[in-house]
Coordinates of all heavy atoms in Angstrom, one line a residue:
M1034 N -55.1 -6.1 14.9 CA -55.0 -5.5 16.2 C -53.5 -5.6 16.6 O -52.9 -6.6 16.3 CB -55.8 -6.3 17.2 CG -57.3 -6.3 16.8 SD -58.3 -6.9 18.1 CE -59.8 -6.8 17.2
A1035 N -53.0 -4.7 17.2 CA -51.6 -4.6 17.6 C -51.4 -4.3 19.0 O -52.2 -3.5 19.6 CB -50.9 -3.6 16.7
A1036 N -50.5 -4.9 19.7 CA -50.1 -4.6 21.0 C -49.1 -3.4 20.9 O -48.2 -3.5 20.1 CB -49.5 -5.8 21.7
C1037 N -49.3 -2.4 21.7 CA -48.4 -1.2 21.7 C -48.9 -0.2 20.7 O -50.1 -0.3 20.3 CB -47.0 -1.6 21.5 SG -45.9 -0.7 22.7
N1038 N -48.1 0.7 20.3 CA -48.5 1.8 19.4 C -48.4 1.5 17.9 O -48.4 2.4 17.1 CB -47.8 3.1 19.8 CG -48.4 3.7 21.0 OD1 -49.6 3.6 21.3 ND2 -47.5 4.3 21.8
L1039 N -48.3 0.3 17.6 CA -48.2 -0.1 16.2 C -49.4 0.2 15.4 O -49.4 0.3 14.2 CB -47.8 -1.6 16.0 CG -46.4 -2.0 16.4 CD1 -46.3 -3.5 16.3 CD2 -45.4 -1.3 15.6
A1040 N -50.6 0.4 16.1 CA -51.8 0.7 15.5 C -51.7 1.9 14.6 O -52.5 2.1 13.6 CB -52.9 0.8 16.5
L1041 N -50.8 2.8 14.9 CA -50.7 4.0 14.1 C -50.1 3.8 12.8 O -50.4 4.5 11.8 CB -49.8 5.0 14.9 CG -50.3 5.4 16.3 CD1 -49.2 6.3 17.0 CD2 -51.6 6.2 16.2
I1042 N -49.3 2.7 12.6 CA -48.6 2.5 11.3 C -49.2 1.2 10.6 O -48.8 1.0 9.5 CB -47.1 2.4 11.4 CG1 -46.7 1.2 12.3 CG2 -46.5 3.7 11.9 CD1 -45.3 0.8 12.2
M1043 N -50.0 0.4 11.3 CA -50.4 -0.9 10.7 C -51.1 -0.7 9.3 O -50.8 -1.5 8.4 CB -51.3 -1.6 11.6 CG -50.6 -2.3 12.8 SD -49.3 -3.5 12.2 CE -50.3 -4.8 11.7
P1044 N -52.0 0.3 9.1 CA -52.5 0.4 7.7 C -51.5 0.6 6.7 O -51.6 0.1 5.6 CB -53.5 1.6 7.8 CG -53.8 1.6 9.3 CD -52.6 1.2 10.0
C1045 N -50.4 1.3 7.0 CA -49.3 1.6 6.1 C -48.5 0.3 5.8 O -48.1 0.0 4.7 CB -48.4 2.6 6.6 SG -49.2 4.2 6.9
V1046 N -48.3 -0.5 6.9 CA -47.5 -1.7 6.8 C -48.2 -2.8 6.0 O -47.7 -3.4 5.1 CB -47.1 -2.2 8.2 CG1 -46.5 -3.6 8.1 CG2 -46.2 -1.3 8.9
S1047 N -49.5 -2.9 6.3 CA -50.3 -4.0 5.6 C -50.6 -3.7 4.2 O -50.8 -4.6 3.4 CB -51.6 -4.2 6.4 OG -52.5 -3.1 6.3
G1048 N -50.7 -2.4 3.9 CA -51.0 -2.0 2.5 C -52.5 -2.1 2.2 O -53.0 -1.6 1.2
R1049 N -53.2 -2.7 3.1 CA -54.7 -2.8 2.9 C -55.4 -2.9 4.3 O -55.3 -3.9 4.9 CB -55.1 -4.0 2.0 CG -54.7 -5.3 2.6 CD -55.2 -6.4 1.7 NE -54.9 -7.7 2.3 CZ -55.7 -8.4 3.0 NH1 -57.0 -8.0 3.1 NH2 -55.4 -9.5 3.5
S1050 N -56.0 -1.9 4.7 CA -56.7 -1.9 5.9 C -58.2 -1.9 5.7 O -58.7 -0.9 5.1 CB -56.3 -0.7 6.8 OG -57.0 -0.8 8.0
A1051 N -58.9 -2.9 6.0 CA -60.3 -3.0 5.7 C -61.1 -2.9 7.0 O -62.2 -3.5 7.1 CB -60.6 -4.3 5.0
G1052 N -60.6 -2.4 8.1 CA -61.3 -2.3 9.3 C -60.5 -1.6 10.4 O -59.5 -1.0 10.0
P1053 N -60.9 -1.6 11.6 CA -60.2 -0.9 12.7 C -58.9 -1.5 13.0 O -58.6 -2.6 12.8 CB -61.2 -1.0 13.8 CG -61.9 -2.3 13.6 CD -62.1 -2.4 12.1
C1054 N -58.0 -0.6 13.4 CA -56.7 -1.0 13.9 C -56.6 -0.5 15.3 O -56.8 0.7 15.6 CB -55.6 -0.3 13.0 SG -54.0 -1.0 13.2
V1055 N -56.4 -1.4 16.3 CA -56.5 -1.1 17.7 C -55.2 -1.3 18.4 O -54.5 -2.3 18.1 CB -57.6 -2.0 18.4 CG1 -57.8 -1.7 19.8 CG2 -58.9 -1.8 17.7
S1056 N -54.9 -0.5 19.4 CA -53.7 -0.6 20.1 C -54.0 -0.9 21.6 O -55.0 -0.3 22.1 CB -52.9 0.7 20.0 OG -51.9 0.8 20.9
F1057 N -53.3 -1.8 22.2 CA -53.4 -2.1 23.6 C -52.2 -1.8 24.4 O -51.1 -2.3 24.0 CB -53.8 -3.6 23.8 CG -55.1 -3.9 23.2 CD1 -55.2 -4.5 22.0 CD2 -56.3 -3.6 23.8 CE1 -56.4 -4.9 21.3 CE2 -57.5 -3.9 23.2 CZ -57.6 -4.5 22.0
E1058 N -52.2 -1.1 25.5 CA -51.1 -0.9 26.3 C -51.4 -1.4 27.7 O -52.0 -0.7 28.5 CB -50.7 0.6 26.3 CG -50.2 1.1 25.0 CD -49.6 2.5 25.0 OE1 -49.1 2.9 26.1 OE2 -49.8 3.2 24.0
T1059 N -51.0 -2.7 27.9 CA -51.3 -3.3 29.2 C -50.1 -3.8 29.9 O -50.1 -4.7 30.7 CB -52.3 -4.5 29.0 OG1 -51.7 -5.4 28.2 CG2 -53.6 -4.0 28.4
A1060 N -48.9 -3.4 29.4 CA -47.6 -3.9 29.9 C -47.4 -5.3 29.4 O -47.4 -5.5 28.2 CB -47.5 -3.8 31.4
C1061 N -47.2 -6.2 30.2 CA -46.8 -7.6 29.8 C -47.9 -8.4 29.1 O -47.5 -9.3 28.3 CB -46.3 -8.4 31.0 SG -44.8 -7.7 31.7
S1062 N -49.1 -8.0 29.2 CA -50.2 -8.8 28.6 C -50.8 -8.2 27.3 O -51.8 -8.7 26.9 CB -51.3 -9.0 29.7 OG -51.9 -7.7 29.9
A1063 N -50.1 -7.2 26.8 CA -50.7 -6.6 25.6 C -50.9 -7.5 24.4 O -52.0 -7.5 23.8 CB -49.8 -5.4 25.2
S1064 N -50.0 -8.4 24.1 CA -50.1 -9.3 23.0 C -51.3 -10.3 23.3 O -52.0 -10.6 22.4 CB -48.8 -10.1 22.8 OG -47.8 -9.2 22.4
L1065 N -51.4 -10.8 24.5 CA -52.4 -11.7 24.9 C -53.8 -11.0 24.7 O -54.7 -11.6 24.2 CB -52.2 -12.2 26.3 CG -53.3 -13.2 26.8 CD1 -53.4 -14.4 26.0 CD2 -53.0 -13.5 28.3
V1066 N -53.9 -9.8 25.2 CA -55.2 -9.1 25.1 C -55.5 -8.8 23.7 O -56.7 -8.9 23.3 CB -55.1 -7.7 25.9 CG1 -56.3 -6.9 25.7 CG2 -54.9 -8.0 27.4
A1067 N -54.5 -8.5 22.8 CA -54.8 -8.3 21.4 C -55.3 -9.5 20.7 O -56.3 -9.5 20.0 CB -53.5 -7.8 20.7
C1068 N -54.7 -10.7 21.0 CA -55.1 -11.9 20.4 C -56.5 -12.3 20.9 O -57.3 -12.8 20.1 CB -54.1 -13.0 20.7 SG -54.4 -14.5 19.8
H1069 N -56.7 -12.2 22.2 CA -58.1 -12.5 22.8 C -59.2 -11.6 22.2 O -60.2 -12.1 21.8 CB -58.0 -12.3 24.3 CG -59.4 -12.4 24.9 ND1 -60.0 -13.6 25.1 CD2 -60.2 -11.4 25.4 CE1 -61.2 -13.4 25.7 NE2 -61.3 -12.1 25.9
T1070 N -58.9 -10.3 22.0 CA -59.8 -9.4 21.4 C -60.1 -9.8 19.9 O -61.3 -9.8 19.5 CB -59.4 -8.0 21.5 OG1 -59.1 -7.7 22.9 CG2 -60.4 -7.0 21.0
A1071 N -59.1 -10.1 19.2 CA -59.3 -10.5 17.8 C -60.1 -11.8 17.7 O -61.0 -11.9 16.9 CB -57.9 -10.8 17.2
C1072 N -59.9 -12.8 18.6 CA -60.7 -14.0 18.6 C -62.1 -13.7 19.0 O -63.0 -14.2 18.4 CB -60.1 -15.0 19.6 SG -58.5 -15.7 19.1
R1073 N -62.3 -12.8 19.9 CA -63.7 -12.5 20.3 C -64.4 -11.7 19.2 O -65.6 -12.0 19.0 CB -63.6 -11.6 21.6 CG -65.0 -11.4 22.2 CD -64.9 -10.6 23.5 NE -64.3 -9.3 23.2 CZ -63.6 -8.5 24.0 NH1 -63.4 -9.0 25.3 NH2 -63.1 -7.4 23.7
E1074 N -63.7 -10.9 18.5 CA -64.4 -10.2 17.4 C -64.8 -11.1 16.3 O -65.9 -11.0 15.7 CB -63.4 -9.1 16.8 CG -63.1 -8.0 17.8 CD -64.3 -7.1 18.2 OE1 -65.1 -6.8 17.3 OE2 -64.4 -6.8 19.4
I1075 N -64.0 -12.1 16.0 CA -64.4 -13.2 15.0 C -65.5 -14.0 15.6 O -66.5 -14.2 14.9 CB -63.1 -14.1 14.7 CG1 -62.1 -13.3 13.9 CG2 -63.6 -15.3 13.9 CD1 -60.8 -14.0 13.7
K1076 N -65.4 -14.4 16.8 CA -66.5 -15.2 17.4 C -67.9 -14.6 17.4 O -68.9 -15.2 17.1 CB -66.1 -15.5 18.9 CG -67.2 -16.3 19.6 CD -66.8 -16.6 21.1 CE -67.9 -17.4 21.8 NZ -67.5 -17.7 23.1
Y1077 N -67.9 -13.3 17.7 CA -69.2 -12.5 17.7 C -69.6 -11.9 16.4 O -70.5 -11.1 16.3 CB -69.2 -11.5 18.8 CG -69.2 -12.2 20.2 CD1 -68.1 -12.0 21.0 CD2 -70.2 -13.0 20.6 CE1 -68.0 -12.6 22.3 CE2 -70.1 -13.7 21.8 CZ -69.1 -13.4 22.7 OH -69.0 -14.1 23.9
G1078 N -68.9 -12.3 15.3 CA -69.3 -11.8 14.0 C -68.9 -10.4 13.6 O -69.4 -9.9 12.6
E1079 N -68.0 -9.8 14.3 CA -67.6 -8.4 14.0 C -66.7 -8.4 12.8 O -66.6 -7.4 12.1 CB -66.9 -7.8 15.2 CG -67.8 -7.6 16.4 CD -68.9 -6.5 16.2 OE1 -68.6 -5.5 15.5 OE2 -70.0 -6.7 16.7
C1080 N -66.0 -9.5 12.5 CA -65.2 -9.6 11.4 C -64.9 -11.1 11.1 O -65.2 -12.0 11.9 CB -63.8 -8.9 11.6 SG -62.9 -9.6 12.9
D1081 N -64.4 -11.4 9.9 CA -64.2 -12.8 9.5 C -62.7 -13.1 9.6 O -62.3 -14.3 9.7 CB -64.6 -13.0 8.1 CG -66.1 -13.0 7.9 OD1 -66.8 -13.5 8.9 OD2 -66.6 -12.5 6.9
E1082 N -61.8 -12.1 9.6 CA -60.4 -12.3 9.7 C -59.8 -11.2 10.6 O -60.3 -10.1 10.6 CB -59.7 -12.2 8.3 CG -60.2 -13.2 7.3 CD -59.6 -13.0 5.9 OE1 -59.3 -11.8 5.6 OE2 -59.3 -14.0 5.3
A1083 N -58.7 -11.5 11.2 CA -58.0 -10.5 12.0 C -56.5 -10.8 12.1 O -56.1 -12.0 11.9 CB -58.6 -10.5 13.5
M1084 N -55.7 -9.8 12.3 CA -54.3 -9.9 12.5 C -54.0 -9.4 13.9 O -54.4 -8.3 14.3 CB -53.5 -9.1 11.5 CG -52.1 -9.1 11.7 SD -51.2 -10.6 11.2 CE -51.3 -10.5 9.5
S1085 N -53.3 -10.2 14.7 CA -52.9 -9.8 16.0 C -51.4 -9.9 16.1 O -50.7 -10.9 15.6 CB -53.5 -10.8 17.0 OG -53.2 -10.4 18.3
A1086 N -50.7 -8.8 16.6 CA -49.3 -8.8 16.6 C -48.8 -8.1 17.9 O -49.5 -7.3 18.5 CB -48.7 -8.0 15.4
G1087 N -47.6 -8.5 18.3 CA -47.0 -7.9 19.5 C -45.5 -7.7 19.3 O -44.9 -8.5 18.6
V1088 N -44.9 -6.7 19.8 CA -43.5 -6.4 19.7 C -42.9 -6.0 21.0 O -43.5 -5.4 21.8 CB -43.3 -5.2 18.7 CG1 -41.9 -4.8 18.6 CG2 -43.9 -5.5 17.3
N1089 N -41.7 -6.5 21.2 CA -40.9 -6.1 22.4 C -39.6 -5.5 21.9 O -38.8 -6.2 21.2 CB -40.6 -7.4 23.3 CG -39.7 -7.0 24.4 OD1 -39.9 -5.9 25.0 ND2 -38.8 -7.9 24.8
M1090 N -39.4 -4.3 22.2 CA -38.1 -3.6 21.8 C -37.6 -2.8 23.0 O -38.3 -2.2 23.7 CB -38.4 -2.6 20.6 CG -38.8 -3.3 19.4 SD -39.3 -2.3 18.0 CE -38.5 -0.7 18.2
T1091 N -36.3 -2.8 23.2 CA -35.6 -2.0 24.2 C -34.9 -0.9 23.4 O -33.9 -1.1 22.8 CB -34.6 -2.9 24.9 OG1 -35.2 -4.0 25.5 CG2 -34.0 -2.1 26.0
L1092 N -35.5 0.3 23.5 CA -35.0 1.4 22.7 C -34.0 2.2 23.4 O -33.1 2.9 22.8 CB -36.2 2.3 22.3 CG -37.3 1.6 21.5 CD1 -38.4 2.6 21.2 CD2 -36.7 1.1 20.1
L1093 N -34.0 2.2 24.7 CA -33.0 2.9 25.5 C -32.1 1.9 26.3 O -32.6 0.9 26.8 CB -33.6 3.9 26.5 CG -34.5 5.0 25.8 CD1 -35.3 5.8 26.8 CD2 -33.7 5.9 24.9
P1094 N -30.8 2.2 26.4 CA -30.0 1.2 27.1 C -30.1 1.3 28.7 O -29.6 0.4 29.3 CB -28.5 1.7 26.7 CG -28.7 3.1 26.4 CD -30.1 3.3 25.8
S1095 N -30.9 2.2 29.2 CA -31.0 2.4 30.6 C -31.5 1.1 31.3 O -31.1 0.8 32.4 CB -31.8 3.6 31.0 OG -33.1 3.5 30.4
A1096 N -32.4 0.4 30.7 CA -33.0 -0.8 31.4 C -31.9 -1.9 31.5 O -31.7 -2.5 32.5 CB -34.2 -1.3 30.6
N1097 N -31.1 -2.1 30.4 CA -30.1 -3.1 30.4 C -28.9 -2.7 31.4 O -28.4 -3.5 32.1 CB -29.5 -3.3 29.0 CG -30.5 -4.0 28.1 OD1 -31.3 -4.7 28.6 ND2 -30.4 -3.7 26.8
V1098 N -28.6 -1.4 31.5 CA -27.6 -0.9 32.4 C -28.0 -1.1 33.8 O -27.2 -1.6 34.7 CB -27.3 0.6 32.1 CG1 -26.4 1.2 33.2 CG2 -26.7 0.8 30.8
A1099 N -29.3 -0.8 34.1 CA -29.8 -1.0 35.5 C -29.7 -2.5 35.9 O -29.4 -2.8 37.0 CB -31.2 -0.5 35.6
L1100 N -30.1 -3.4 35.0 CA -30.0 -4.8 35.3 C -28.5 -5.3 35.5 O -28.3 -6.1 36.4 CB -30.6 -5.7 34.1 CG -32.1 -5.6 33.9 CD1 -32.5 -6.3 32.6 CD2 -32.8 -6.3 35.1
A1101 N -27.6 -4.7 34.7 CA -26.2 -5.1 34.9 C -25.7 -4.5 36.2 O -24.9 -5.3 36.9 CB -25.4 -4.5 33.7
V1102 N -26.0 -3.3 36.5 CA -25.5 -2.7 37.8 C -26.0 -3.5 39.0 O -25.3 -3.6 40.0 CB -25.9 -1.2 37.9 CG1 -25.7 -0.6 39.2 CG2 -25.2 -0.4 36.8
A1103 N -27.3 -4.0 38.9 CA -27.9 -4.7 40.0 C -27.3 -6.1 40.1 O -27.7 -6.9 41.0 CB -29.4 -4.7 39.9
G1104 N -26.5 -6.5 39.1 CA -26.0 -7.9 39.1 C -27.0 -9.0 38.6 O -26.8 -10.1 38.9
M1105 N -28.0 -8.5 37.9 CA -29.0 -9.5 37.4 C -28.8 -10.0 36.0 O -29.4 -11.0 35.6 CB -30.4 -8.7 37.5 CG -30.8 -8.3 38.9 SD -32.1 -7.2 39.0 CE -33.5 -8.1 38.3
S1106 N -27.9 -9.4 35.3 CA -27.7 -9.8 33.9 C -26.7 -11.0 33.8 O -25.8 -11.1 34.6 CB -27.0 -8.7 33.1 OG -27.9 -7.6 33.0
S1107 N -26.9 -11.8 32.8 CA -26.1 -13.0 32.6 C -24.7 -12.5 32.1 O -24.6 -11.7 31.2 CB -26.7 -13.9 31.6 OG -25.8 -14.9 31.2
G1108 N -23.6 -13.0 32.7 CA -22.3 -12.7 32.3 C -22.0 -13.2 30.9 O -21.2 -12.7 30.2
R1109 N -22.6 -14.3 30.5 CA -22.4 -15.0 29.2 C -23.4 -14.5 28.2 O -23.3 -14.8 27.0 CB -22.6 -16.5 29.4 CG -21.4 -17.1 30.1 CD -21.7 -18.6 30.3 NE -22.3 -18.8 31.6 CZ -22.6 -19.9 32.1 NH1 -22.3 -21.0 31.5 NH2 -23.2 -20.0 33.3
G1110 N -24.3 -13.6 28.6 CA -25.3 -13.1 27.6 C -26.3 -14.1 27.2 O -26.9 -14.0 26.1
A1111 N -26.5 -15.2 27.9 CA -27.4 -16.2 27.6 C -28.2 -16.7 28.8 O -27.7 -16.7 29.9 CB -26.7 -17.4 27.0
C1112 N -29.5 -17.0 28.6 CA -30.3 -17.4 29.7 C -30.3 -19.0 29.8 O -30.6 -19.6 28.8 CB -31.7 -16.9 29.5 SG -32.7 -16.8 31.0
H1113 N -30.1 -19.5 30.9 CA -30.1 -21.0 31.1 C -31.1 -21.3 32.2 O -30.7 -21.7 33.3 CB -28.7 -21.5 31.4 CG -27.7 -21.3 30.4 ND1 -27.6 -22.0 29.2 CD2 -26.7 -20.3 30.3 CE1 -26.6 -21.5 28.5 NE2 -26.0 -20.5 29.1
T1114 N -32.4 -21.1 31.8 CA -33.4 -21.3 32.8 C -33.5 -22.7 33.4 O -33.4 -23.7 32.6 CB -34.8 -21.0 32.1 OG1 -34.7 -19.7 31.5 CG2 -35.9 -20.9 33.1
F1115 N -33.6 -22.8 34.7 CA -33.7 -24.1 35.4 C -32.5 -25.0 35.1 O -32.6 -26.2 35.0 CB -35.0 -24.8 35.1 CG -36.2 -24.0 35.3 CD1 -37.1 -23.7 34.2 CD2 -36.6 -23.6 36.6 CE1 -38.2 -22.9 34.5 CE2 -37.7 -22.8 36.8 CZ -38.5 -22.5 35.8
D1116 N -31.3 -24.4 35.0 CA -30.1 -25.2 34.6 C -29.0 -24.7 35.6 O -29.0 -23.6 36.0 CB -29.7 -24.8 33.2 CG -28.6 -25.7 32.6 OD1 -27.5 -25.8 33.2 OD2 -28.8 -26.4 31.6
A1117 N -28.1 -25.6 35.8 CA -26.9 -25.3 36.7 C -26.1 -24.2 36.2 O -25.4 -23.5 36.9 CB -26.1 -26.5 37.0
R1118 N -26.1 -24.0 34.8 CA -25.3 -22.9 34.2 C -25.9 -21.5 34.3 O -25.4 -20.5 34.0 CB -25.1 -23.2 32.7 CG -24.3 -24.5 32.4 CD -24.3 -24.8 31.0 NE -25.7 -25.1 30.5 CZ -26.1 -25.1 29.3 NH1 -25.3 -24.8 28.3 NH2 -27.3 -25.4 29.0
A1119 N -27.2 -21.5 34.9 CA -27.9 -20.2 35.0 C -27.0 -19.2 35.8 O -26.6 -19.5 36.9 CB -29.2 -20.4 35.6
D1120 N -26.8 -18.0 35.2 CA -26.0 -17.0 36.0 C -26.7 -15.6 35.9 O -26.0 -14.6 36.1 CB -24.6 -17.0 35.5 CG -24.4 -16.5 34.0 OD1 -25.5 -16.5 33.3 OD2 -23.3 -16.2 33.6
G1121 N -27.9 -15.5 35.4 CA -28.6 -14.2 35.3 C -29.6 -14.2 34.2 O -29.8 -15.2 33.5
Y1122 N -30.1 -13.0 34.0 CA -31.2 -12.7 33.1 C -30.6 -12.2 31.8 O -29.6 -11.5 31.7 CB -32.0 -11.6 33.7 CG -33.2 -11.1 32.9 CD1 -34.3 -11.8 32.7 CD2 -33.1 -9.8 32.5 CE1 -35.4 -11.3 32.0 CE2 -34.2 -9.2 31.8 CZ -35.3 -10.0 31.5 OH -36.4 -9.5 30.8
A1123 N -31.1 -12.6 30.6 CA -30.7 -12.2 29.3 C -31.9 -11.6 28.6 O -32.9 -12.3 28.4 CB -30.1 -13.3 28.5
R1124 N -31.9 -10.3 28.2 CA -33.0 -9.7 27.5 C -33.0 -10.0 26.1 O -31.9 -10.3 25.5 CB -32.9 -8.2 27.7 CG -33.3 -7.7 29.1 CD -33.4 -6.3 29.2 NE -34.5 -5.8 28.4 CZ -35.7 -5.3 28.8 NH1 -35.9 -5.4 30.1 NH2 -36.5 -4.9 28.0
G1125 N -34.1 -9.9 25.5 CA -34.2 -10.1 24.0 C -35.3 -9.2 23.4 O -36.1 -8.7 24.1
E1126 N -35.3 -9.0 22.1 CA -36.3 -8.3 21.4 C -36.9 -9.2 20.4 O -36.3 -10.2 19.9 CB -35.7 -7.1 20.7 CG -35.1 -6.1 21.6 CD -34.5 -4.9 20.9 OE1 -34.1 -5.0 19.7 OE2 -34.3 -3.9 21.5
G1127 N -38.2 -8.9 20.1 CA -38.8 -9.8 19.1 C -40.2 -9.3 18.7 O -40.7 -8.3 19.2
C1128 N -40.7 -9.9 17.7 CA -42.0 -9.6 17.2 C -42.8 -10.9 16.8 O -42.1 -11.8 16.3 CB -41.9 -8.7 15.9 SG -43.5 -8.5 15.1
G1129 N -44.0 -11.0 17.1 CA -44.8 -12.1 16.8 C -46.1 -11.7 16.2 O -46.7 -10.6 16.6
A1130 N -46.6 -12.3 15.2 CA -47.9 -12.0 14.6 C -48.6 -13.3 14.2 O -48.0 -14.3 13.9 CB -47.7 -11.1 13.4
I1131 N -50.0 -13.2 14.3 CA -50.8 -14.3 14.0 C -52.0 -13.8 13.2 O -52.6 -12.8 13.5 CB -51.2 -15.1 15.2 CG1 -52.0 -16.3 14.9 CG2 -52.0 -14.2 16.2 CD1 -52.2 -17.3 16.0
A1132 N -52.3 -14.5 12.1 CA -53.5 -14.2 11.3 C -54.6 -15.2 11.7 O -54.3 -16.4 11.7 CB -53.1 -14.4 9.8
L1133 N -55.7 -14.7 12.0 CA -56.8 -15.5 12.5 C -58.0 -15.3 11.5 O -58.2 -14.3 10.9 CB -57.3 -15.0 13.9 CG -56.2 -14.9 14.9 CD1 -56.7 -14.1 16.1 CD2 -55.9 -16.3 15.4
S1134 N -58.7 -16.4 11.3 CA -59.9 -16.4 10.4 C -60.9 -17.3 10.9 O -60.7 -18.3 11.6 CB -59.5 -16.7 9.0 OG -59.0 -18.0 8.8
R1135 N -62.2 -17.0 10.5 CA -63.3 -17.9 10.9 C -63.2 -19.2 10.1 O -62.7 -19.2 8.9 CB -64.6 -17.1 10.4 CG -65.9 -17.8 10.8 CD -67.1 -17.0 10.4 NE -67.0 -15.6 10.9 CZ -67.3 -15.3 12.1 NH1 -67.7 -16.2 13.0 NH2 -67.3 -14.0 12.5
R1136 N -63.6 -20.3 10.7 CA -63.5 -21.6 10.1 C -64.6 -21.6 9.0 O -65.6 -21.0 9.1 CB -63.9 -22.7 11.0 CG -62.8 -23.0 12.0 CD -63.2 -24.2 12.8 NE -62.3 -24.3 14.0 CZ -62.6 -25.1 15.0 NH1 -63.6 -25.9 15.0 NH2 -61.8 -25.1 16.1
R1137 N -64.3 -22.3 7.9 CA -65.2 -22.4 6.8 C -66.6 -23.0 7.3 O -66.6 -24.0 8.0 CB -64.7 -23.3 5.7 CG -65.2 -23.0 4.4 CD -64.6 -23.8 3.3 NE -63.1 -24.0 3.5 CZ -62.4 -24.5 2.6 NH1 -62.8 -24.9 1.4 NH2 -61.1 -24.7 2.8
G1138 N -67.7 -22.4 7.0 CA -69.0 -22.9 7.4 C -69.4 -22.4 8.8 O -70.5 -22.7 9.2
Q1139 N -68.5 -21.8 9.6 CA -68.8 -21.4 10.9 C -69.5 -20.0 10.9 O -69.1 -19.1 10.1 CB -67.5 -21.3 11.7 CG -67.7 -20.9 13.2 CD -66.4 -20.7 13.9 OE1 -65.4 -20.6 13.3 NE2 -66.5 -20.8 15.2
R1140 N -70.4 -19.8 11.7 CA -71.1 -18.5 11.8 C -71.0 -17.9 13.2 O -70.8 -18.5 14.1 CB -72.6 -18.6 11.4 CG -72.7 -18.9 10.0 CD -74.1 -18.7 9.5 NE -74.2 -18.9 8.1 CZ -74.5 -18.0 7.3 NH1 -74.6 -16.7 7.6 NH2 -74.6 -18.3 6.0

């Protein structure tokens, strides 16, 4: 299961797709929804294993430009949350994936 439109390429990336590949577009909670759905599918016996992944990418500079123009971006390019050095927001990109499986002997 993948958050965002990765469901279109996941069978190609994994090299072996033995089940459905689902995409969730829920804005900020897409990765959480994907992981919850994967766990629920395992719990209810729909599958024994699942892969859940989420990606955050900024493809256009307009979001970063808007943050900078509004004075919200960190001048140092680093986020110092709850610290006296905090001077703004710093964006990042990333990907996270988790492989889930049923416990041995669990039905």
Side-chain angles (χ1 to χ4, degrees):
M1034 302 196 184
C1037 226
N1038 285 323
L1039 289 177
L1041 299 174
I1042 63 165
M1043 284 302 286
C1045 299
V1046 172
S1047 69
R1049 61 178 186 99
S1050 179
C1054 196
V1055 181
S1056 169
F1057 297 100
E1058 293 190 32
T1059 63
C1061 295
S1062 65
S1064 297
L1065 177 63
V1066 171
C1068 190
H1069 172 75
T1070 303
C1072 289
R1073 191 178 59 206
E1074 296 296 316
I1075 291 172
K1076 178 180 179 179
Y1077 292 117
E1079 296 292 323
C1080 62
D1081 292 323
E1082 298 176 328
M1084 174 73 75
S1085 182
V1088 175
N1089 175 39
M1090 294 174 25
T1091 306
L1092 300 176
L1093 300 173
S1095 56
N1097 292 332
V1098 170
L1100 289 171
V1102 168
M1105 298 167 62
S1106 296
S1107 169
R1109 289 178 266 187
C1112 199
H1113 299 282
T1114 308
F1115 306 116
D1116 190 303
R1118 297 174 295 163
D1120 66 346
Y1122 177 70
R1124 289 189 60 107
E1126 296 180 339
C1128 173
I1131 184 169
L1133 304 163
S1134 64
R1135 184 178 308 279
R1136 290 186 195 169
R1137 209 178 318 192
Q1139 182 184 20
R1140 292 196 178 248

